[in-house]
Amino acid sequence: MNPLDDLYRRVIMDHYKNPRNRGTLDDESVTVNLNNPTCGDRISLQMQIEDGIVKSARFTGEGCSISMSSASMMTDAVKGKTTAEAMELAEKFSALMKGEGPSFEEYEDIEALSGVNKFPARIKCATLAWNALRKGVEQGHGKHEENVDQ
């Protein structure tokens, strides 16, 4: 086994077994519920956005190690970012999933998901949380809730 693949596998499993930002926020958050009907992964993403900045991001849900690890990594990466920076990260992640993206030097854990692009059926797993992020930022400020199948 390639040592880098082993490292990436360990990073993904660490986020899966010890998720960062798992839980819920208060009622003043943007909430997006997404579901991947092809595999059953589901996520509820909550973000507190104030003055164009993602002050906090938390998630709950169920799914495979890739979808839950990706949600953990994404919520870590966007906290404290402007909504424009968060959307830029989402675009960069989409490029990574297509095998075209630049590396995530500042978020090395996200780089661990780069191998997912070799398994097209798993890309939706990895992008579920990032799609929720996009929808949450698009919803804007205040209390909103959206339920969507990806």
Side-chain angles (χ1 to χ4, degrees), residues 83-115:
T83 53
E85 289 169 330
M87 292 295 267
E88 189 176 305
L89 281 174
E91 289 305 313
K92 193 173 174 182
F93 188 77
S94 284
L96 181 73
M97 289 298 101
K98 293 174 186 168
E100 344 174 307
S103 68
F104 273 81
E105 305 88 26
E106 67 274 28
Y107 303 104
E108 291 177 0
D109 285 5
I110 293 172
E111 191 75 26
L113 293 169
S114 63

Side-chain angles (χ1 to χ4, degrees), residues 4-68:
L4 192 56
D5 288 343
D6 185 48
L7 171 65
Y8 284 174
R9 188 171 288 113
R10 281 185 280 153
V11 169
I12 290 168
M13 290 311 293
D14 179 52
H15 276 272
Y16 179 63
K17 292 178 180 176
N18 306 295
R20 284 55 152 186
N21 308 303
R22 190 166 183 90
T24 57
L25 296 171
D26 65 25
D27 290 340
E28 294 303 312
S29 60
V30 173
T31 302
V32 177
N33 298 300
L34 282 187
N35 177 42
N36 182 352
T38 57
C39 68
D41 292 347
R42 59 180 188 77
I43 185 173
S44 178
L45 174 67
Q46 291 185 306
M47 294 186 299
Q48 182 183 8
I49 301 173
E50 291 177 13
D51 300 321
I53 296 175
V54 180
K55 296 285 188 182
S56 188
R58 298 191 55 88
F59 76 97
T60 58
E62 293 178 1
C64 67
S65 59
I66 291 172
S67 68
M68 294 296 103

